[in-house]
Amino acid sequence: MLEIKKVSKCFGRGTANEHQALSGLELHLLRGDFVTVLGSNGAGKSTLFNIICGTVQPDEGRILLDGKDITFQPEHRRALQIGRIFQDPMMGTAPSLTIEENLALAYSKQKKRSFSFAVSAGERNDFRERLAAFGMELENRMQTRVGTLSGGQRQVVTLLMATLVPPKLLLLDEHTAALDPATAEKVMRITNEIVNENRITTMMITHNMDQALVTGNRTIMMDGGGILFDISQKEREGLTAAALVELYAEHKKQSFSNDRMLLH
């Protein structure tokens, strides 16, 4: 479904600030996979998402989505097939517009219609029903400006905007990190409901190791612009956050030893 083939990206090449963000990265997702992505700052997580979305172009390698090469496809065209939700709840919405207007714009874009705030009575009822299912009473605030909502409420609106018409791929970029624990848990529950109901192929960056081990069906650990290890749902069973840290240390040590061997 998603194939990333030997993708590399270097920023500031030839300068004092040169940084190899991705190095020959390979990853294959099947339709319906929900992959959680771990890694320290600078591991390449956000660069990987940016390259998948088309915000950044790779230096080498190819990206295929549903069998089609999108490596150099413009970002705005990929946005019709790829949904992305950021850590900042304000990104992905128009704060000065109402909930209904934001949903109408998202629906128009995903249906490839001309942008319009106008919605039919049936579409409005559909929006209300979907919002009501989240249990946050947003269905009664359709005319409220998104900028006045709480962080959790805005993130739920963003989730619905990104999945009104289920995308081929959904990228969650630490989308609960800026929320308080209770709200983050609720948004994560809603995320799982939407992903599971629509069987959306999903990747989620998180720094929460406990969450990474119970969400979705695979967990990958990134380091130094590559994938250090990729563990399946079965392999994750019974694995604790502490054990995951030990696994990281073992793979890191092995990788370091191999690198030293290559230098000799």
Side-chain angles (χ1 to χ4, degrees), residues 215-247:
T215 304
N217 65 313
R218 286 170 64 188
T219 298
I220 65 173
M221 175 71 77
M222 292 188 64
D223 184 75
I227 295 176
L228 199 58
F229 57 80
D230 182 343
I231 52 180
S232 68
Q233 186 167 11
K234 185 174 180 60
E235 293 171 323
R236 295 188 318 179
E237 291 177 4
L239 198 64
T240 63
L244 191 61
V245 171
E246 292 180 8
L247 188 62

Side-chain angles (χ1 to χ4, degrees), residues 17-35:
N17 296 319
E18 180 173 316
H19 172 60
Q20 189 70 42
L22 296 177
S23 182
L25 188 144
E26 297 222 7
L27 181 64
H28 181 207
L29 270 64
L30 300 175
R31 189 178 306 279
D33 270 350
F34 190 157
V35 179

Side-chain angles (χ1 to χ4, degrees), residues 116-259:
S116 172
F117 293 138
V119 295
S120 67
E123 289 168 344
R124 182 174 292 108
N125 287 335
D126 182 50
F127 294 166
R128 290 178 63 87
E129 287 178 8
R130 291 179 186 235
L131 287 168
F134 301 147
M136 299 182 77
E137 298 188 359
L138 290 171
E139 70 276 13
N140 299 320
R141 304 186 64 182
M142 295 278 284
Q143 302 308 316
T144 300
R145 293 180 187 273
V146 168
T148 66
L149 300 176
S150 68
Q153 291 170 330
R154 289 197 297 267
Q155 208 65 304
V156 167
V157 172
T158 306
L159 263 171
L160 184 52
M161 289 174 66
T163 56
L164 271 173
V165 178
K168 290 185 177 179
L169 178 67
L170 179 62
L171 302 179
L172 305 172
D173 197 345
E174 295 189 82
H175 73 304
T176 63
L179 308 176
D180 64 82
T183 304
E185 184 177 349
K186 179 176 287 189
V187 170
M188 198 63 240
R189 174 183 58 78
I190 294 169
T191 300
N192 280 313
E193 289 174 357
I194 291 174
V195 169
N196 292 333
E197 180 182 352
N198 297 284
R199 203 166 177 264
I200 303 172
T201 306
T202 304
M203 295 180 69
M204 182 181 78
I205 293 174
T206 179
H207 281 100
N208 186 325
M209 286 187 285
D210 289 318
Q211 186 181 74
L213 289 172
V214 297
T215 304
N217 65 313
R218 286 170 64 188
T219 298
I220 65 173
M221 175 71 77
M222 292 188 64
D223 184 75
I227 295 176
L228 199 58
F229 57 80
D230 182 343
I231 52 180
S232 68
Q233 186 167 11
K234 185 174 180 60
E235 293 171 323
R236 295 188 318 179
E237 291 177 4
L239 198 64
T240 63
L244 191 61
V245 171
E246 292 180 8
L247 188 62
Y248 170 78
E250 290 174 8
H251 279 80
K252 183 74 172 174
K253 182 178 180 180
Q254 182 179 358
S255 176
F256 178 72
S257 297
N258 290 340
D259 288 344

